[in-house]
């Protein structure tokens, strides 16, 4: 599996703080000379595939867990190769930072429908150069989510515990199998500022 240089992904269960840290990073970069070198993106995307997925995540549309696995992979293809794609930005010399990538499918969809299908569908995608894994106890992440007004279908205790366990397995597996990808494990129970400092040390510019 190839590696996409300058592609960086943030991964972790709901409430682990990936989106908060992306916002903090944007703020730290604002006004710097290097700001334009960075492109921020996320999965599910804002494209048609991603918007449809959001209707499933909100519970507005029902779908089999396997269907969701296919849709996440389809959305990922669009994310990588479609009109606003990661690969285009990388080819233009940008550093691309994504809130979630295929490791989310290997964790969430494995928890939802077993490991085989997510593994098959996601064997098609290249690795990022760096992966930040936001490791957190699901009890703490759930307490953080409890303050949100909108909850999604996966934001339930049993499911997030299962997903957290899958994430840890997946990360351990890739630490062994993909030494070319740098994995930075963060203790996501630390304060926002501490986590932000660690990320800045790794990618600040
Ligand atoms: P978000 O809350 O980070 O925007 O992500 C939306 C939800 O979608 C979150 O619960 C994680 C889930 N998800 C998957 O189940 N599989 C995936 O491949 C991705 C990218 C997200």
């Amino acid at each position: 599996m190839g590696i996409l240089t300058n592609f960086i992904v943030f991964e972790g269960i709901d409430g682990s703080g990936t989106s908060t840290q992306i916002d903090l990073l944007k703020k730290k970069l604002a006004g710097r000379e290097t700001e334009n070198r960075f492109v921020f993106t996320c999965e599910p995307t804002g494209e048609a595939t991603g918007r449809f997925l959001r209707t499933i995540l909100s519970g507005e549309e029902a779908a089999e867990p396997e269907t969701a696995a296919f849709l996440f992979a389809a959305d990922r293809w669009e994310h990588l190769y479609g009109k606003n794609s990661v690969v285009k930005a990388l080819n233009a010399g940008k550093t691309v930072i994504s809130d979630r990538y295929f490791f989310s499918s290997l964790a969430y969809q494995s928890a939802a429908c077993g490991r085989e299908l997510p593994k098959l569908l996601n064997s098609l995608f290249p690795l990022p150069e760096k992966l930040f894994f936001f490791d957190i106890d699901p009890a703490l992440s759930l307490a953080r989510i409890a303050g949100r007004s909108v909850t999604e279908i996966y934001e339930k205790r049993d499911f997030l515990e299962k997903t957290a366990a899958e994430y840890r397995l997946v990360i351990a597996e890739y630490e062994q199998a993909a030494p070319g990808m740098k994995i930075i494990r963060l203790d996501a129970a630390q304060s926002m500022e501490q986590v932000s400092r660690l990320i800045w040390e790794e990618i600040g510019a």
Side-chain angles (χ1 to χ4, degrees):
M1 207 186 281
I3 292 187
L4 289 177
T5 307
N6 294 329
F7 184 38
I8 299 171
V9 304
F10 285 17
E11 290 281 0
I13 55 171
D14 293 78
S16 64
T18 59
S19 309
T20 303
Q21 290 300 330
I22 295 234
D23 288 345
L24 284 174
L25 190 54
K26 282 183 190 165
K27 282 197 189 118
K28 283 190 179 175
L29 286 167
R32 287 184 176 252
E33 243 174 63
T34 48
E35 186 184 1
N36 290 339
R37 214 180 72 209
F38 291 86
V39 169
F40 290 90
T41 179
C42 68
E43 293 186 7
T45 66
E47 308 300 329
T49 42
R51 291 197 303 275
F52 182 51
L53 269 166
R54 292 269 173 213
T55 66
I56 293 171
L57 290 169
S58 69
E60 187 187 332
E61 297 282 353
E64 292 300 310
E66 289 80 359
T67 309
F70 278 101
L71 290 170
F72 278 114
D75 186 46
R76 184 157 301 126
W77 194 275
E78 203 56 31
H79 188 211
L80 243 72
Y81 307 112
K83 65 178 183 318
N84 300 312
S85 82
V86 169
V87 167
K88 274 186 199 156
L90 292 172
N91 287 341
K94 306 286 183 186
T95 292
V96 180
I97 301 182
S98 180
D99 192 353
R100 302 192 176 283
Y101 188 46
F102 73 72
F103 307 92
S104 287
S105 280
L106 296 180
Y108 283 82
Q109 277 60 59
S110 292
C113 65
R115 293 181 188 137
E116 197 179 348
L117 183 63
K119 195 168 176 184
L120 176 73
L121 295 173
N122 289 288
S123 62
L124 304 170
F125 297 102
L127 293 168
E129 185 180 358
K130 286 184 186 172
L131 184 166
F132 287 88
F133 175 50
F134 288 57
D135 199 1
I136 194 166
D137 180 345
L140 180 55
S141 81
L142 276 164
R144 288 182 180 171
I145 294 169
R148 292 186 195 164
S149 54
V150 183
T151 55
E152 295 184 335
I153 54 169
Y154 297 145
E155 295 175 349
K156 299 200 172 69
R157 188 182 187 111
D158 288 358
F159 186 78
L160 275 194
E161 278 172 358
K162 216 169 152 189
T163 304
E166 290 294 334
Y167 252 130
R168 287 175 181 156
L169 284 176
V170 165
I171 296 300
E173 191 182 315
Y174 276 86
E175 276 170 342
Q176 291 299 317
M181 168 176 70
K182 183 166 182 186
I183 298 180
I184 302 106
R185 232 177 230 268
L186 299 166
D187 172 5
Q190 298 176 95
S191 72
M192 242 165 54
E193 293 74 22
Q194 268 170 319
V195 175
S196 174
R197 214 171 304 125
L198 294 170
I199 293 171
W200 188 253
E201 275 168 20
E202 196 60 48
I203 52 180

